[in-house]
Amino acid sequence: MTDISARPLRPARRRSSKWAQKLAPYFFLAPFLVLFIVFLVVPLFYALQLSFFRETMVGGIRFVGLDNYGKALTDQKFWDGVLLLLRYGLFQLPVMLGAALLLALILDSGMLWARAFFRLGLFLPYAVPTVIAALIWGYLYGPSFGPMTQIADYFGLPRPDLFNANTMLYAIANISIWEHVGYFMIIYFAALQAIPADFEEAAVVSGARAWQYVIYVKLPLIRGTILVTVIFATIGALQLFAEPYLLEALAPAVITSSYTPNIYAYNLAFVNQDYNYSAAISFVLGAVVAVVSYVFQLVSARREGK
């Protein structure tokens, strides 16, 4: 006769397999979570701690509470940089996202020959590191050695001065547009490709023209994608750093140590050795980015509600 007491082992195995299934996602996420905590969360809390202190000549490092934040909120250099970035975004975002959307619509139309080649070619600038892109365009912009200057000299035209106070912001925006148009184009193109073909067939049957189908069908269907890209692009614009920092050597009179908030925070920390105030500036800038993104999302949601 078989031993009945040995039979209850099967439910225990089932329970252990259920626990294994529940823990499996956390096991695969563990490497990411460890890196995320070590290289983002911990430094973030450390910077937050620094922002509540100040180093003095007499008392050394002492706790000052929100004094650094109060100083940042009244710092004219910081707010001048924020206003500069708002001007930058008002020019860069419509041009960059508008060009990306137009190129995506052209690719999605199916009328372009060698579509895969053009898609890869337009996306390729995004694969170029920002440092390399800034150096390339800095050479092209060069007032005494760049190709634009050489062409102007050859034809006897005045040399273009793209490093003055009036044109520098647009020269930097051009670098960012060149870098990111292909990236946002791919996002829009993927969203357009996800639209079912039945919508186009219904539009053709109803007698709608191609431009009517684009305006009244395609664009409303990818409105959510457009909103997300606008928010991401706005955040990127308010965090501008690499391009002006690398062009500073070519235009030191225009790109100052407080040209953008990120450059200002960088110089405070690594030039003036004022890590505490630099941390406060960084968190205030993060709050500005969050507020601007939230306001834009709120306004867009209200408009859609109408």
Side-chain angles (χ1 to χ4, degrees), residues 266-288:
Y266 175 85
N267 284 303
L268 283 172
F270 299 104
V271 178
N272 300 340
Q273 305 298 316
D274 192 353
Y275 301 105
N276 306 101
Y277 186 52
S278 173
I281 286 287
S282 301
F283 277 100
V284 173
L285 176 61
V288 171

Side-chain angles (χ1 to χ4, degrees), residues 86-105:
L86 292 178
R87 286 173 46 208
Y88 169 82
L90 289 175
F91 170 77
Q92 183 239 12
L93 295 183
V95 175
M96 179 178 65
L97 298 180
L101 183 58
L102 178 62
L103 291 172
L105 289 171

Side-chain angles (χ1 to χ4, degrees), residues 6-218:
R7 294 182 180 179
L9 293 175
R10 185 175 298 176
R13 292 179 180 178
R14 289 179 180 177
R15 286 196 295 269
S16 62
S17 64
K18 289 182 179 180
W19 275 105
Q21 292 176 359
K22 291 181 179 180
L23 294 176
Y26 300 99
F27 175 78
F28 288 107
L29 287 174
F32 166 76
L33 292 176
V34 170
L35 295 176
F36 180 79
I37 293 172
V38 172
F39 292 103
L40 183 64
V41 177
V42 173
L44 195 64
F45 277 99
Y46 178 67
L48 182 62
Q49 179 186 1
L50 286 177
S51 67
F52 295 124
F53 292 84
R54 182 182 298 166
E55 186 173 357
T56 60
M57 295 181 62
V58 179
I61 299 177
R62 61 187 182 88
F63 180 78
V64 293
L66 298 176
D67 286 357
N68 287 328
Y69 290 95
K71 181 181 177 182
L73 292 175
T74 58
D75 192 335
Q76 190 62 39
K77 291 182 178 179
F78 171 76
W79 292 112
D80 287 343
V82 172
L83 291 176
L84 181 78
L85 291 184
L86 292 178
R87 286 173 46 208
Y88 169 82
L90 289 175
F91 170 77
Q92 183 239 12
L93 295 183
V95 175
M96 179 178 65
L97 298 180
L101 183 58
L102 178 62
L103 291 172
L105 289 171
I106 293 174
L107 290 174
D108 185 64
S109 65
M111 296 184 296
L112 188 65
W113 179 75
R115 186 172 62 176
F117 171 78
F118 283 102
R119 185 168 67 245
L120 178 61
L122 292 169
F123 180 77
L124 192 59
Y126 181 71
V128 178
T130 303
V131 174
I132 303 300
L135 293 175
I136 292 173
W137 282 97
Y139 168 72
L140 295 175
Y141 290 154
S144 59
F145 52 81
M148 297 181 182
T149 299
Q150 297 177 18
I151 294 173
D153 290 342
Y154 181 81
F155 289 101
L157 301 173
R159 291 183 173 184
D161 183 14
L162 299 175
F163 289 154
N164 62 67
N166 296 323
T167 58
M168 175 59 74
L169 195 64
Y170 304 103
I172 295 174
N174 179 62
I175 300 174
S176 180
I177 291 170
W178 178 79
E179 285 182 283
H180 297 97
V181 161
Y183 169 75
F184 289 109
M185 178 201 69
I186 293 297
I187 295 176
Y188 293 146
F189 179 70
L192 291 170
Q193 289 286 290
I195 298 176
D198 298 342
F199 287 86
E200 185 174 5
E201 295 175 0
V204 172
V205 171
S206 62
R209 297 182 179 180
W211 64 270
Q212 291 175 325
Y213 174 63
V214 169
I215 294 176
Y216 297 109
V217 179
K218 281 187 174 182

Side-chain angles (χ1 to χ4, degrees), residues 78 235 238-239 261-262 279-293:
F78 171 76
I235 294 173
L238 291 174
Q239 294 178 344
N262 271 337
I281 286 287
S282 301
F283 277 100
V284 173
L285 176 61
V288 171
V289 172
V291 169
V292 171
S293 302

